[in-house]
């Protein structure tokens, strides 16, 4: 049985934080591609969330509501995609940052320090020793 706190053999050596590969900074081209992919995924996620929100609004709207009218649905979808791209570019939800922390663990330390959040009232993770 594997203990949740015992990570000595749980991860492959390429993903283990103590491995020499994790200590090296990432290739700049890889880091740029990973950043672009992470931001695009965040944009996709936000766009999908906005699409679902608009769909729910359409379903709940009354028959004579302006939200029920399908005339401007294409333009609203395009506007939602632009808003999602802009929010993802600003990393508003932090999804891209979370992905990059996993893909670029050595390079994310300065980013994490720059965007540090005050954690006075946040509980410690259960799988980490305090």
């Amino acid at each position: 049985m594997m203990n949740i706190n015992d990570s000595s053999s749980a991860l492959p050596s390429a993903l283990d934080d103590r491995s020499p590969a994790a200590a090296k900074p990432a290739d700049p081209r890889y880091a740029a591609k990973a950043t672009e992919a992470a931001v695009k995924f965040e944009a996709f996620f936000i766009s999908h969330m906005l699409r679902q929100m608009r769909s729910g609004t359409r379903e709940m709207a009354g028959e004579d509501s302006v939200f029920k009218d399908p005339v401007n649905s294409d333009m609203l979808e395009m506007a939602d995609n632009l808003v999602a791209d802009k929010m993802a570019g600003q990393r508003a939800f932090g999804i891209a940052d979370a992905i990059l922390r996993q893909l670029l663990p050595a390079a994310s330390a300065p980013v994490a320090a720059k965007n540090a959040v005050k954690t006075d009232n946040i509980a410690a993770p259960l799988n980490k020793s305090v």
Side-chain angles (χ1 to χ4, degrees):
M1 185 161 125
M2 188 166 98
N3 185 355
I4 195 166
N5 293 325
D6 181 25
S7 64
S8 60
S9 64
L11 296 172
S13 62
L15 297 176
D16 192 1
D17 288 339
R18 293 171 279 151
S19 71
K24 294 181 202 172
D27 179 26
R29 291 178 299 177
Y30 173 76
K33 285 183 179 181
T35 302
E36 181 183 359
V39 170
K40 283 184 179 180
F41 178 78
E42 183 168 349
F44 171 77
F45 182 83
I46 296 170
S47 175
H48 184 70
M49 183 185 63
L50 291 172
R51 190 176 316 121
Q52 291 298 319
M53 188 173 61
R54 198 167 299 282
S55 173
T57 303
R58 209 175 296 120
E59 290 294 322
M60 292 187 328
E63 290 299 320
D64 59 343
S65 175
V66 70
F67 297 112
K68 204 70 150 172
D69 189 12
V71 171
N72 294 326
S73 63
D74 293 337
M75 295 302 284
L76 287 172
E77 186 175 336
M78 189 179 356
D80 287 345
N81 289 336
L82 289 172
V83 167
D85 288 342
K86 186 69 171 174
M87 289 176 76
Q90 296 173 351
R91 298 187 181 177
F93 284 52
I95 297 168
D97 293 330
I99 292 171
L100 289 174
R101 278 193 299 271
Q102 293 177 0
L103 293 176
L104 308 170
S108 67
V111 173
K114 187 175 103 175
N115 298 331
V117 177
K118 188 174 179 180
T119 59
D120 292 338
N121 296 328
I122 298 176
L126 296 177
N127 61 352
K128 301 270 184 177
S129 59
V130 179

